[in-house]
Amino acid sequence: MRYCTQCILPDTRPGIRLDAEGICTACHGHRDKETKIDWPARERAFQTLVAQTKARAEGYDCIVPVSGGKDSWYQVIMAKKYGLSVLAVTWRTPARTEIGQRNLDAMIKNLGVDHIDYTLSPDVERRFMKAAFEERGTTGLPMHMALFAIPIRLALQLRIPMILWGENPQLEYGGNELERLSDTLDTDWLARHGCLESTDADYWCGKEGLTQSDLLAYQIPRNPNFAVRSVFLGAFFKWNSYENARIAQQSGFDYDEQDLKIGSWDFADIDCDFISLHHFLKWYKFGFTRDFDNLSVKIRYGMIDRSEAINQIAHKGWVAPEKDIAAFCRFQEKPESWFWSVCESFRNTDIWVKDAGVWHIPGFLIPEWHWT
Ligand SMILES: [Zn+2]
Protein backbone atom coordinates (compact mmCIF):
# COMPACT_ATOMS: atom_id res chain seq x y z
CA MET A 1 0.00 0.00 0.00
CA ARG A 2 1.35 3.41 -0.94
CA TYR A 3 0.03 6.78 0.15
CA CYS A 4 -0.08 10.07 -1.67
CA THR A 5 2.76 12.31 -0.51
CA GLN A 6 0.50 15.40 -0.46
CA CYS A 7 -2.75 14.08 1.00
CA ILE A 8 -3.28 10.77 2.85
CA LEU A 9 -5.19 8.72 0.28
CA PRO A 10 -3.87 5.22 -0.39
CA ASP A 11 -3.49 3.82 -3.90
CA THR A 12 -6.05 1.13 -3.00
CA ARG A 13 -8.86 3.70 -3.27
CA PRO A 14 -10.74 3.14 -6.54
CA GLY A 15 -9.71 5.80 -9.09
CA ILE A 16 -6.50 6.72 -7.25
CA ARG A 17 -3.20 6.41 -9.05
CA LEU A 18 0.09 7.82 -7.79
CA ASP A 19 2.45 9.47 -10.26
CA ALA A 20 6.27 9.17 -10.23
CA GLU A 21 6.48 11.76 -7.44
CA GLY A 22 3.87 9.93 -5.39
CA ILE A 23 1.14 12.52 -5.98
CA CYS A 24 -2.37 11.11 -6.36
CA THR A 25 -4.97 11.73 -9.04
CA ALA A 26 -7.22 13.54 -6.52
CA CYS A 27 -4.44 16.04 -5.73
CA HIS A 28 -3.93 16.44 -9.48
CA GLY A 29 -7.67 17.13 -9.70
CA HIS A 30 -7.29 19.87 -7.13
CA ARG A 31 -4.36 21.34 -9.09
CA ASP A 32 -6.54 21.20 -12.25
CA LYS A 33 -9.22 23.14 -10.39
CA GLU A 34 -6.75 25.82 -9.32
CA THR A 35 -4.64 26.17 -12.47
CA LYS A 36 -5.89 24.25 -15.48
CA ILE A 37 -9.63 24.82 -15.65
CA ASP A 38 -10.79 28.17 -17.03
CA TRP A 39 -13.74 28.73 -14.67
CA PRO A 40 -15.13 31.88 -16.35
CA ALA A 41 -15.17 29.91 -19.64
CA ARG A 42 -16.90 27.02 -17.84
CA GLU A 43 -19.52 29.42 -16.50
CA ARG A 44 -20.17 30.71 -20.04
CA ALA A 45 -20.49 27.08 -21.21
CA PHE A 46 -23.06 26.55 -18.46
CA GLN A 47 -25.02 29.62 -19.59
CA THR A 48 -25.04 28.24 -23.16
CA LEU A 49 -26.20 24.88 -21.85
CA VAL A 50 -28.99 26.58 -19.88
CA ALA A 51 -30.15 28.41 -23.02
CA GLN A 52 -30.12 25.18 -25.07
CA THR A 53 -31.98 23.37 -22.32
CA LYS A 54 -34.65 26.03 -21.99
CA ALA A 55 -35.18 25.98 -25.77
CA ARG A 56 -35.95 22.26 -25.60
CA ALA A 57 -37.97 22.22 -22.39
CA GLU A 58 -41.63 21.28 -22.54
CA GLY A 59 -42.19 21.73 -18.80
CA TYR A 60 -39.51 21.70 -16.13
CA ASP A 61 -36.05 22.60 -17.45
CA CYS A 62 -34.14 20.26 -15.20
CA ILE A 63 -34.19 17.63 -12.53
CA VAL A 64 -31.94 18.14 -9.54
CA PRO A 65 -31.38 14.90 -7.62
CA VAL A 66 -31.41 15.84 -3.94
CA SER A 67 -30.98 14.18 -0.56
CA GLY A 68 -31.51 17.32 1.51
CA GLY A 69 -27.77 17.49 2.24
CA LYS A 70 -25.59 20.58 1.83
CA ASP A 71 -24.71 19.81 -1.80
CA SER A 72 -28.38 19.48 -2.80
CA TRP A 73 -29.11 22.92 -1.43
CA TYR A 74 -26.22 24.35 -3.42
CA GLN A 75 -27.36 22.57 -6.62
CA VAL A 76 -30.91 23.92 -6.32
CA ILE A 77 -29.67 27.41 -5.45
CA MET A 78 -27.36 27.46 -8.48
CA ALA A 79 -29.98 25.99 -10.86
CA LYS A 80 -32.46 28.69 -9.85
CA LYS A 81 -29.82 31.42 -9.95
CA TYR A 82 -29.22 30.59 -13.62
CA GLY A 83 -32.92 30.66 -14.41
CA LEU A 84 -33.70 26.95 -14.61
CA SER A 85 -37.11 25.68 -13.51
CA VAL A 86 -36.37 22.77 -11.19
CA LEU A 87 -38.01 19.51 -10.26
CA ALA A 88 -36.12 18.18 -7.25
CA VAL A 89 -36.15 14.39 -6.99
CA THR A 90 -35.15 12.25 -4.02
CA TRP A 91 -34.62 8.54 -3.72
CA ARG A 92 -36.09 8.18 -0.25
CA THR A 93 -33.75 6.13 1.86
CA PRO A 94 -35.48 3.58 4.11
CA ALA A 95 -33.28 4.96 6.92
CA ARG A 96 -33.76 8.69 6.66
CA THR A 97 -32.62 10.51 9.78
CA GLU A 98 -34.64 13.13 11.63
CA ILE A 99 -32.20 15.83 10.67
CA GLY A 100 -32.26 14.56 7.08
CA GLN A 101 -36.05 14.95 6.96
CA ARG A 102 -35.89 18.39 8.57
CA ASN A 103 -33.31 19.59 6.07
CA LEU A 104 -35.22 18.22 3.10
CA ASP A 105 -38.47 19.88 4.28
CA ALA A 106 -36.64 23.15 4.88
CA MET A 107 -34.94 22.98 1.48
CA ILE A 108 -38.25 22.57 -0.36
CA LYS A 109 -39.88 25.32 1.65
CA ASN A 110 -37.04 27.83 1.85
CA LEU A 111 -35.80 27.44 -1.71
CA GLY A 112 -39.34 27.17 -3.11
CA VAL A 113 -38.91 24.09 -5.25
CA ASP A 114 -41.23 21.33 -6.49
CA HIS A 115 -40.23 17.91 -5.23
CA ILE A 116 -40.84 14.18 -5.63
CA ASP A 117 -39.89 11.99 -2.65
CA TYR A 118 -39.65 8.67 -4.49
CA THR A 119 -40.22 5.79 -2.07
CA LEU A 120 -39.45 2.22 -3.01
CA SER A 121 -40.88 -0.80 -1.27
CA PRO A 122 -38.87 -1.24 1.95
CA ASP A 123 -39.10 -5.00 1.53
CA VAL A 124 -37.52 -4.83 -1.93
CA GLU A 125 -34.80 -2.54 -0.61
CA ARG A 126 -34.16 -4.88 2.30
CA ARG A 127 -33.76 -7.93 0.06
CA PHE A 128 -31.69 -6.06 -2.51
CA MET A 129 -29.37 -4.69 0.19
CA LYS A 130 -28.98 -8.15 1.70
CA ALA A 131 -28.05 -9.65 -1.67
CA ALA A 132 -25.59 -6.84 -2.51
CA PHE A 133 -24.00 -6.93 0.95
CA GLU A 134 -23.56 -10.70 1.10
CA GLU A 135 -22.40 -11.12 -2.51
CA ARG A 136 -20.36 -7.95 -3.10
CA GLY A 137 -19.73 -6.54 0.37
CA THR A 138 -21.58 -3.33 -0.43
CA THR A 139 -24.70 -2.15 1.33
CA GLY A 140 -24.66 0.98 -0.86
CA LEU A 141 -25.16 -0.66 -4.25
CA PRO A 142 -29.00 -0.56 -4.30
CA MET A 143 -28.87 3.03 -3.00
CA HIS A 144 -26.53 4.10 -5.79
CA MET A 145 -28.52 2.25 -8.45
CA ALA A 146 -31.78 3.86 -7.27
CA LEU A 147 -30.46 7.36 -6.87
CA PHE A 148 -29.01 7.32 -10.39
CA ALA A 149 -31.85 5.44 -12.12
CA ILE A 150 -34.82 7.31 -10.65
CA PRO A 151 -33.88 10.82 -11.88
CA ILE A 152 -32.85 9.40 -15.28
CA ARG A 153 -36.14 7.50 -15.66
CA LEU A 154 -38.18 10.53 -14.58
CA ALA A 155 -36.30 12.86 -16.95
CA LEU A 156 -37.02 10.52 -19.86
CA GLN A 157 -40.63 9.89 -18.93
CA LEU A 158 -41.47 13.52 -18.14
CA ARG A 159 -39.35 14.76 -21.06
CA ILE A 160 -37.16 17.00 -18.91
CA PRO A 161 -34.05 17.81 -20.96
CA MET A 162 -31.43 18.13 -18.22
CA ILE A 163 -30.28 16.52 -14.99
CA LEU A 164 -27.98 18.58 -12.79
CA TRP A 165 -25.84 16.34 -10.55
CA GLY A 166 -23.44 17.65 -7.92
CA GLU A 167 -19.69 17.25 -7.81
CA ASN A 168 -17.65 15.45 -10.44
CA PRO A 169 -16.28 12.72 -8.15
CA GLN A 170 -13.29 12.09 -10.42
CA LEU A 171 -12.25 15.72 -10.06
CA GLU A 172 -12.73 15.71 -6.26
CA TYR A 173 -11.64 12.18 -5.29
CA GLY A 174 -9.44 10.95 -8.12
CA GLY A 175 -9.77 9.88 -11.73
CA ASN A 176 -7.78 10.11 -14.92
CA GLU A 177 -7.35 13.45 -16.66
CA LEU A 178 -10.10 12.86 -19.22
CA GLU A 179 -12.54 11.99 -16.44
CA ARG A 180 -11.46 14.95 -14.31
CA LEU A 181 -12.19 17.39 -17.11
CA SER A 182 -15.48 15.77 -18.19
CA ASP A 183 -18.89 17.30 -17.41
CA THR A 184 -21.06 14.29 -18.25
CA LEU A 185 -22.64 11.55 -16.16
CA ASP A 186 -23.77 8.96 -18.72
CA THR A 187 -24.16 5.18 -18.81
CA ASP A 188 -20.41 4.72 -19.42
CA TRP A 189 -19.69 6.78 -16.32
CA LEU A 190 -22.25 4.79 -14.32
CA ALA A 191 -20.65 1.51 -15.38
CA ARG A 192 -17.20 2.72 -14.31
CA HIS A 193 -17.92 4.86 -11.28
CA GLY A 194 -21.51 4.37 -10.15
CA CYS A 195 -20.53 1.95 -7.31
CA LEU A 196 -22.59 -0.68 -9.14
CA GLU A 197 -19.90 -3.40 -9.27
CA SER A 198 -20.44 -3.76 -13.04
CA THR A 199 -24.02 -4.91 -12.46
CA ASP A 200 -27.40 -3.62 -13.56
CA ALA A 201 -30.91 -4.32 -12.26
CA ASP A 202 -31.27 -7.40 -14.49
CA TYR A 203 -28.23 -8.96 -12.84
CA TRP A 204 -29.96 -8.93 -9.42
CA CYS A 205 -33.22 -10.37 -10.71
CA GLY A 206 -33.83 -13.77 -9.08
CA LYS A 207 -31.55 -13.08 -6.10
CA GLU A 208 -33.36 -12.98 -2.73
CA GLY A 209 -36.56 -13.55 -4.73
CA LEU A 210 -36.28 -10.18 -6.50
CA THR A 211 -38.42 -9.97 -9.64
CA GLN A 212 -38.27 -7.74 -12.71
CA SER A 213 -41.25 -5.88 -11.36
CA ASP A 214 -39.60 -5.40 -7.92
CA LEU A 215 -36.61 -3.84 -9.67
CA LEU A 216 -38.41 -1.55 -12.14
CA ALA A 217 -37.27 1.70 -10.53
CA TYR A 218 -33.64 0.55 -10.64
CA GLN A 219 -33.70 -0.03 -14.42
CA ILE A 220 -31.94 2.51 -16.58
CA PRO A 221 -33.72 2.60 -19.96
CA ARG A 222 -31.59 1.58 -22.91
CA ASN A 223 -31.74 3.51 -26.19
CA PRO A 224 -34.13 6.18 -24.94
CA ASN A 225 -35.93 8.21 -27.60
CA PHE A 226 -35.49 11.50 -25.73
CA ALA A 227 -32.09 13.10 -25.17
CA VAL A 228 -31.28 14.19 -21.63
CA ARG A 229 -28.12 16.19 -20.88
CA SER A 230 -26.86 14.76 -17.63
CA VAL A 231 -24.11 16.96 -16.19
CA PHE A 232 -22.10 17.65 -13.05
CA LEU A 233 -22.56 21.14 -11.63
CA GLY A 234 -19.02 20.74 -10.27
CA ALA A 235 -17.68 20.69 -13.84
CA PHE A 236 -18.89 24.28 -14.40
CA PHE A 237 -18.34 25.90 -11.00
CA LYS A 238 -15.42 25.23 -8.68
CA TRP A 239 -16.68 22.80 -6.08
CA ASN A 240 -15.93 23.38 -2.40
CA SER A 241 -17.72 21.24 0.20
CA TYR A 242 -17.17 23.73 3.01
CA GLU A 243 -18.38 26.61 0.87
CA ASN A 244 -21.48 24.59 -0.15
CA ALA A 245 -22.24 23.93 3.52
CA ARG A 246 -21.89 27.64 4.27
CA ILE A 247 -24.14 28.67 1.37
CA ALA A 248 -26.71 26.02 2.33
CA GLN A 249 -26.60 27.11 5.97
CA GLN A 250 -27.40 30.70 4.98
CA SER A 251 -30.66 29.43 3.49
CA GLY A 252 -31.58 27.23 6.44
CA PHE A 253 -29.58 24.00 6.19
CA ASP A 254 -28.96 22.69 9.68
CA TYR A 255 -26.51 20.19 11.11
CA ASP A 256 -26.06 18.93 14.59
CA GLU A 257 -22.41 19.26 15.50
CA GLN A 258 -22.71 16.53 18.15
CA ASP A 259 -23.98 13.91 15.75
CA LEU A 260 -20.95 12.85 13.73
CA LYS A 261 -22.05 9.70 11.94
CA ILE A 262 -18.84 8.80 10.14
CA GLY A 263 -15.68 10.55 9.00
CA SER A 264 -14.71 13.99 10.25
CA TRP A 265 -17.20 16.33 8.59
CA ASP A 266 -20.14 17.18 10.84
CA PHE A 267 -22.06 18.64 7.88
CA ALA A 268 -21.89 15.54 5.66
CA ASP A 269 -23.32 12.02 5.54
CA ILE A 270 -26.10 13.00 7.96
CA ASP A 271 -29.25 12.23 5.92
CA CYS A 272 -29.32 8.47 6.20
CA ASP A 273 -28.42 5.91 8.88
CA PHE A 274 -27.06 3.47 6.30
CA ILE A 275 -24.61 5.69 4.41
CA SER A 276 -22.02 5.14 7.16
CA LEU A 277 -21.99 1.41 6.37
CA HIS A 278 -21.07 2.10 2.76
CA HIS A 279 -18.04 4.07 3.95
CA PHE A 280 -17.24 1.62 6.75
CA LEU A 281 -16.74 -1.28 4.32
CA LYS A 282 -13.79 0.59 2.78
CA TRP A 283 -11.74 -0.43 5.78
CA TYR A 284 -12.01 -4.12 4.90
CA LYS A 285 -11.77 -3.71 1.14
CA PHE A 286 -9.27 -0.89 0.72
CA GLY A 287 -7.72 -0.32 4.17
CA PHE A 288 -8.86 3.26 4.78
CA THR A 289 -11.73 5.08 6.48
CA ARG A 290 -14.01 8.00 5.67
CA ASP A 291 -11.64 10.24 7.66
CA PHE A 292 -8.97 9.66 5.00
CA ASP A 293 -11.38 11.08 2.38
CA ASN A 294 -12.52 14.05 4.47
CA LEU A 295 -9.09 15.01 5.80
CA SER A 296 -7.47 14.67 2.37
CA VAL A 297 -9.93 17.23 1.03
CA LYS A 298 -9.11 19.50 3.98
CA ILE A 299 -5.40 19.20 3.15
CA ARG A 300 -6.08 20.15 -0.47
CA TYR A 301 -8.16 23.14 0.63
CA GLY A 302 -5.17 24.24 2.72
CA MET A 303 -7.12 23.95 6.00
CA ILE A 304 -4.71 21.53 7.70
CA ASP A 305 -1.33 20.05 6.84
CA ARG A 306 -0.60 16.39 6.19
CA SER A 307 0.99 15.66 9.57
CA GLU A 308 -1.98 17.16 11.40
CA ALA A 309 -4.34 14.94 9.38
CA ILE A 310 -2.27 11.88 10.29
CA ASN A 311 -2.35 12.92 13.97
CA GLN A 312 -6.13 13.23 13.86
CA ILE A 313 -6.50 9.74 12.39
CA ALA A 314 -4.06 8.29 14.96
CA HIS A 315 -5.85 10.08 17.80
CA LYS A 316 -9.30 8.89 16.71
CA GLY A 317 -8.31 5.26 16.09
CA TRP A 318 -10.67 2.72 14.64
CA VAL A 319 -14.33 3.52 15.23
CA ALA A 320 -17.27 1.47 14.00
CA PRO A 321 -20.66 3.19 13.44
CA GLU A 322 -22.26 1.00 16.11
CA LYS A 323 -25.70 2.62 16.15
CA ASP A 324 -26.03 2.43 12.38
CA ILE A 325 -24.85 -1.18 12.28
CA ALA A 326 -27.51 -2.01 14.87
CA ALA A 327 -30.15 -0.15 12.82
CA PHE A 328 -29.13 -1.98 9.66
CA CYS A 329 -29.31 -5.37 11.39
CA ARG A 330 -32.77 -4.53 12.76
CA PHE A 331 -33.85 -3.56 9.23
CA GLN A 332 -32.48 -6.86 7.92
CA GLU A 333 -33.88 -8.82 10.90
CA LYS A 334 -30.44 -10.34 11.35
CA PRO A 335 -28.10 -10.60 14.34
CA GLU A 336 -25.05 -8.34 14.40
CA SER A 337 -22.82 -11.42 14.19
CA TRP A 338 -24.14 -11.79 10.62
CA PHE A 339 -22.99 -8.25 9.77
CA TRP A 340 -19.49 -8.83 11.13
CA SER A 341 -19.05 -12.19 9.42
CA VAL A 342 -20.01 -10.68 6.04
CA CYS A 343 -17.54 -7.80 6.63
CA GLU A 344 -14.87 -10.35 7.50
CA SER A 345 -15.53 -12.30 4.28
CA PHE A 346 -14.63 -9.16 2.29
CA ARG A 347 -11.34 -8.47 4.07
CA ASN A 348 -8.89 -7.89 1.25
CA THR A 349 -5.95 -10.22 1.83
CA ASP A 350 -3.88 -8.36 -0.78
CA ILE A 351 -3.41 -5.70 1.90
CA TRP A 352 -4.39 -7.40 5.18
CA VAL A 353 -2.15 -9.92 6.93
CA LYS A 354 -2.97 -11.98 10.01
CA ASP A 355 -0.27 -12.37 12.65
CA ALA A 356 -0.84 -14.19 15.95
CA GLY A 357 -4.59 -13.97 15.42
CA VAL A 358 -4.59 -10.20 14.76
CA TRP A 359 -5.22 -8.62 11.36
CA HIS A 360 -3.02 -5.71 10.38
CA ILE A 361 -1.97 -3.78 7.26
CA PRO A 362 1.78 -3.84 6.59
CA GLY A 363 3.02 -0.34 5.71
CA PHE A 364 -0.10 1.36 7.17
CA LEU A 365 -0.01 5.17 7.28
CA ILE A 366 0.35 5.16 11.07
CA PRO A 367 3.05 2.68 12.15
CA GLU A 368 2.03 2.63 15.83
CA TRP A 369 -1.66 1.90 15.02
CA HIS A 370 -3.46 -0.22 17.61
CA TRP A 371 -4.71 -3.26 15.67
CA THR A 372 -7.62 -5.12 17.22
ZN1 LIG B 1 -3.24 13.17 -2.88
Side-chain angles (χ1 to χ4, degrees):
M1 226 165 146
R2 292 167 62 217
Y3 296 89
C4 175
T5 52
Q6 289 192 353
C7 69
I8 53 173
L9 289 183
D11 61 356
T12 50
R13 193 187 200 285
I16 290 291
R17 299 279 173 278
L18 304 185
D19 69 9
E21 283 131 61
I23 298 169
C24 80
T25 38
C27 286
H28 279 293
H30 182 73
R31 185 209 53 194
D32 289 351
K33 281 166 70 176
E34 298 304 319
T35 60
K36 203 173 222 174
I37 297 175
D38 180 350
W39 292 108
R42 290 289 183 102
E43 183 185 5
R44 289 193 294 278
F46 188 73
Q47 285 167 331
T48 304
L49 180 61
V50 167
Q52 290 164 346
T53 299
K54 293 189 83 68
R56 286 185 60 223
E58 300 166 18
Y60 293 104
D61 297 324
C62 80
I63 284 183
V64 178
V66 299
S67 64
K70 67 188 188 328
D71 295 339
S72 346
W73 287 69
Y74 174 68
Q75 286 160 251
V76 172
I77 289 167
M78 289 297 278
K80 295 191 76 156
K81 178 180 168 187
Y82 283 83
L84 291 161
S85 60
V86 171
L87 175 62
V89 172
T90 303
W91 159 74
R92 187 190 170 94
T93 160
R96 183 175 287 163
T97 58
E98 261 179 51
I99 196 164
Q101 184 67 56
R102 258 202 328 273
N103 277 325
L104 190 57
D105 292 343
M107 188 191 84
I108 296 154
K109 180 167 174 274
N110 299 2
L111 302 184
V113 66
D114 294 354
H115 178 241
I116 293 176
D117 206 7
Y118 203 116
T119 310
L120 300 180
S121 151
D123 183 54
V124 169
E125 299 228 58
R126 180 185 63 75
R127 285 183 282 143
F128 195 174
M129 283 179 87
K130 179 171 186 287
F133 181 46
E134 289 182 345
E135 185 185 313
R136 301 295 176 113
T138 162
T139 55
L141 189 149
M143 166 189 80
H144 283 101
M145 202 175 274
L147 66 83
F148 290 123
I150 289 167
I152 294 172
R153 291 174 66 85
L154 285 174
L156 292 170
Q157 286 159 2
L158 300 174
R159 298 176 66 82
I160 298 173
M162 181 179 181
I163 305 175
L164 192 58
W165 304 94
E167 65 192 355
N168 172 357
Q170 280 61 56
L171 189 55
E172 307 303 319
Y173 293 104
N176 67 40
E177 186 167 12
L178 206 65
E179 294 169 333
R180 298 202 297 267
L181 300 178
S182 165
D183 62 15
T184 303
L185 189 164
D186 56 13
T187 48
D188 282 349
W189 184 92
L190 276 178
R192 285 199 307 275
H193 304 300
C195 298
L196 306 180
E197 298 273 322
S198 308
T199 68
D200 59 10
D202 286 343
Y203 173 87
W204 296 96
C205 195
K207 295 174 192 280
E208 293 294 324
L210 293 165
T211 64
Q212 288 278 355
S213 133
D214 287 337
L215 295 168
L216 269 179
Y218 299 92
Q219 299 269 5
I220 295 169
R222 295 189 184 94
N223 309 313
N225 56 11
F226 179 75
V228 175
R229 275 287 272 141
S230 166
V231 296
F232 300 115
L233 182 62
F236 299 98
F237 300 93
K238 198 198 283 185
W239 196 263
N240 182 307
S241 300
Y242 283 84
E243 185 64 8
N244 292 359
R246 190 190 62 77
I247 292 169
Q249 210 177 8
Q250 281 176 344
S251 294
F253 171 69
D254 184 25
Y255 55 94
D256 178 352
E257 302 198 12
Q258 305 307 311
D259 190 23
L260 192 63
K261 288 188 89 62
I262 194 144
S264 42
W265 285 356
D266 49 13
F267 53 71
D269 297 321
I270 57 175
D271 319 314
C272 165
D273 281 332
F274 295 162
I275 187 67
S276 53
L277 307 181
H278 169 69
H279 297 307
F280 180 63
L281 265 298
K282 294 172 180 175
W283 180 243
Y284 293 86
K285 295 165 132 183
F286 311 120
F288 72 99
T289 68
R290 186 61 165 162
D291 295 282
F292 284 62
D293 284 329
N294 293 158
L295 294 172
S296 289
V297 171
K298 264 182 115 166
I299 294 170
R300 283 180 221 120
Y301 288 171
M303 298 170 74
I304 52 171
D305 63 28
R306 191 173 185 273
S307 59
E308 196 183 332
I310 293 173
N311 282 341
Q312 283 191 27
I313 301 236
H315 180 72
K316 184 168 174 181
W318 183 83
V319 182
E322 311 263 0
K323 262 163 59 185
D324 296 348
I325 292 168
F328 178 62
C329 291
R330 275 197 305 278
F331 180 64
Q332 289 292 345
E333 299 170 1
K334 289 277 192 186
E336 289 186 29
S337 55
W338 162 78
F339 176 83
W340 292 108
S341 72
V342 176
C343 287
E344 205 53 57
S345 72
F346 285 94
R347 198 186 283 273
N348 177 356
T349 52
D350 288 342
I351 54 172
W352 286 94
V353 171
K354 199 172 192 176
D355 265 335
V358 179
W359 286 103
H360 69 107
I361 300 173
F364 189 62
L365 182 70
I366 295 147
E368 62 279 17
W369 189 256
H370 180 58
W371 301 98
T372 49

